[in-house]
Amino acid sequence: MSDASYRDAIFSTPLDRVARFSFDERVVACFPDMIRRSVPGYGQILGMLGLIAGRHLRHGAHVYDLGCSLGAASLALAGQLPADAFRLTAVDISPAMVARARETLAAECPQHAIDVIEGDIRTLDYRPSGMVILNFTLQFLPPEDRETLLARLYAALEPGGVLILSEKVIDPDERDNAWRVERYHDFKRANGYSDMEISQKRTALENVLVPDTLEAHHARLARAGFLRSLTWFQYLNFASLIAFKEA
């Protein structure tokens, strides 16, 4: 199959009715291209995960990649750390994502201890871990479920453990938020998306992806138990935070 077959063209034709966005087989087939052209700074975030783990992760500790999609964060860690440095559980609720991630991770990093499971991260029985990765995952959960999940993750983290939280964010100032959104749309146009594709995908994501402000994220992390958190990366309206569990 040619590379062109994997290009994201889901919203490239006019739709009478735009269905709610879901991580189905169509999305799985073009997901790498969709992420590359739709999420500013995604590659830079992945590139830092191994460096952050190298500084904060106890050797041999367990790691969670929650909402793992095709396993990009897991692959990033495996590509930067030796096989005995960590054990990892990757979790996603989409059967199509899990099937592809399991196949990819087994092929690309067979020496690493990585399990890929299908499940709802809100109800998972968490084991003690040194690092938890939530890469563009929390934003797809109902807002009322987010703090409870973070509190459970805080409880599961070992002392000295870290949580990486990457999210699409909104700005509390309406003018600043509008500017960021407009420049984000420019980013997508520069990556080959048409105005129709941008509009239809935005409609599909309405009430599916519900973003928060950075201030709301930090406040929620504090209420969940993380007394220290910081925004270590931001590109337009996409950001990544790190939260620390004190040793």
Side-chain angles (χ1 to χ4, degrees), residues 42-209:
Y42 187 70
Q44 287 88 341
I45 291 172
L46 292 180
M48 279 298 296
L49 292 179
L51 299 179
I52 292 171
R55 286 291 183 180
H56 296 284
L57 186 65
R58 175 182 60 80
H59 188 84
H62 182 263
V63 177
Y64 277 109
D65 179 6
L66 302 178
C68 66
S69 62
L70 298 185
S74 301
L75 279 171
L77 284 185
Q80 297 175 72
L81 299 175
D84 63 347
F86 65 94
R87 294 160 292 123
L88 187 144
T89 302
V91 187
D92 205 280
I93 201 169
S94 164
M97 287 289 189
V98 167
R100 184 69 67 84
R102 190 173 287 147
E103 176 184 312
T104 300
L105 290 166
E108 296 293 331
C109 40
Q111 303 304 315
H112 287 75
I114 300 177
D115 292 322
V116 185
I117 64 174
E118 181 184 335
D120 188 331
I121 64 174
R122 294 171 295 180
T123 59
L124 206 64
D125 185 15
Y126 288 102
R127 61 191 290 187
S129 299
M131 184 176 187
V132 176
I133 301 167
L134 279 167
N135 251 1
F136 306 104
T137 298
L138 197 69
Q139 61 197 20
F140 289 104
L141 296 185
E144 62 271 18
D145 293 344
R146 297 175 185 181
E147 190 169 326
T148 300
L149 172 64
L150 291 175
R152 295 187 65 220
L153 297 179
Y154 177 84
L157 275 173
E158 301 172 348
V162 295
L163 181 144
I164 302 295
L165 175 65
S166 306
E167 292 276 287
K168 186 177 184 180
V169 296
I170 55 175
D171 199 292
D173 183 283
E174 289 187 9
R175 289 190 306 169
D176 291 349
N177 190 65
W179 186 91
R180 291 186 199 275
V181 171
E182 289 164 1
R183 299 296 75 74
Y184 173 51
H185 291 168
D186 288 341
F187 171 90
K188 295 186 77 170
R189 292 184 189 99
N191 281 320
Y193 285 113
S194 67
D195 287 341
M196 180 180 65
E197 287 176 290
I198 293 169
S199 176
Q200 291 191 147
K201 186 173 183 182
R202 189 174 188 178
T203 299
L205 285 169
E206 190 173 353
N207 297 321
V208 175
L209 190 166

Side-chain angles (χ1 to χ4, degrees), residues 11 15-21 199-205:
F11 298 101
L15 301 172
D16 293 333
R17 177 181 175 275
V18 179
R20 284 169 58 90
F21 186 88
S199 176
Q200 291 191 147
K201 186 173 183 182
R202 189 174 188 178
T203 299
L205 285 169

